[in-house]
Amino acid sequence: MASEHFALVRRLEYAGPASKEPLSFRHYNPAKLIDGRTMRDHLRFAACYWHTMRNGLADPFGAPTAQMPWDDGSNSLDNAKRRADAFFEFLVKCQIDRWCFHDRDLAPEGSTIRESERNLDALVTHAMALQQSTGVTLLWGTANLFSHPRYMHGAATGPGLDSFLHAAAQVRKALEVTTTLGGTGYVFWGGREGYTTLLNTDLKREREQLARFLHLAAEHAKSIGFAGRLFIEPKPHEPTTHQYDSDAESTLNFLREFGLLGTFQLNIETNHATLAGHSMAHELAVASAANALGSVDANMGTPGLGWDTDRFPTDVYLTTEIMLAILAQGGLTHGGLNFDAKRRRESFEAVDLFHAHAAGMDAFALGLEAATRIRADGRLNDFVRERYASWSTDLGARILAGKVSLSECASEAERRGEVGLHSGRQEMLEAIVNDLILRQ
Ligand code: XLS
Ligand code: NI
Ligand code: NI
């Protein structure tokens, strides 16, 4: 790291809840022990290269606004390396231990596959050195199979063979460099793996193509000794009209249909959950129930605005729900909380990168503490356990084990007569959650 790119910012430190210093953590106290693990370990934060370093904050109606003095706007390898230097300086100063990237964020695409691979190799060597000198590690890598015009009709799901073949070349290389960098995960987000109109689309065939592609990628990952996990990131649409892995349930069904369950886990993103018409808590519960909650893209949308606005996750109710789901399954082993989030177009100064990530980190620290209080308090768990208590009886267990017929159930219903009714107490439970979020 030759020169400092964020010379005016010192490393953000935990300053406590009373602090009014914006460039500090009021709640994220990395070393604090919670149930025997540090906050740092529980939260496994990562920052993403695409929004942090490559997003100029343009929107469909306006030009980029972000100030990035380290970036000369060129496609040179020197510029790409300088960007990586700035990124790792940012990570260290923000106390973020992990990162995520797409092949094309990190290194410029060349005019041939060979040249693109050479460019990527140069940046991977550079990033390796940065990882070693900073202690930052790679959470996951991925390939950008959606920006280049060759993928306009889809990558693996494109109608022509060429896009499939080119995507194979890109994914092979991205898997290899992710392995070199020691990534604990590799993500497939099928940005164009869907359709714009069914009038020109063979949906059945496209789903089969996607499944074959994922099989090939998984086989290659195994053959090169990739020690991480493979994740699929569901999203219902945008940029396509419909994306085949549209939400957690449809993705799990896809994986089951094509014999891929167990090979892939899910990377669940808040804004994708809400675009799909679900809550984040719902998507996490579905993934976790299938033992497939692998990682989280930690952002949030803007209610009522139908875009993937990728805001920083500053809503403490949301972060509490996310941490409840993660704690309930004993944590994330290979995944983490990746801020797949961008600053608003109006937050264009470089220092806003720090404000934005710190806001997300503090919100997750609050969410972790609140979720821990909710679990320790026990009233929610007790209520749920009590609600299903009749299933813990001998009859309940025998029904679930398949030892009781429908007619036997019917006779038992007659014998018992009309049942007592019990309230769901939703409002009471919501009030308990509020109390426990606010009581620090
Ligand atoms: C886009 C996705 C993307 C993936 C990585 O909506 O969230 O950023 O996380 O390709
Ligand atoms: Ni994402
Ligand atoms: Ni997204």
Side-chain angles (χ1 to χ4, degrees), residues 50-51 102 140 142-143 146 187-189 233 235 238 267 269 272 297 299 308 310 338 340:
W50 53 101
H51 283 316
H102 298 84
W140 52 260
T142 187
F146 44 87
V187 163
F188 294 83
W189 170 59
E233 184 178 319
K235 184 175 182 179
E238 200 212 65
N267 177 36
E269 174 166 327
H272 299 182
D297 267 8
N299 62 15
D308 195 9
D310 288 346
N338 167 45
D340 190 352

Side-chain angles (χ1 to χ4, degrees), residues 339-386:
F339 291 113
D340 190 352
K342 61 176 189 243
R343 301 162 281 157
R344 294 308 84 196
R345 185 165 181 264
E346 302 84 347
S347 308
F348 58 90
E349 293 179 18
V351 72
D352 285 307
L353 285 172
F354 291 89
H355 289 306
H357 284 82
M361 293 163 83
D362 265 350
F364 265 100
L366 286 168
L368 169 62
E369 301 257 27
T372 305
R373 282 194 296 274
I374 290 169
R375 286 162 60 80
D377 172 88
R379 275 176 289 171
L380 253 61
N381 263 340
D382 290 348
F383 189 87
V384 174
R385 194 172 342 100
E386 188 51 37

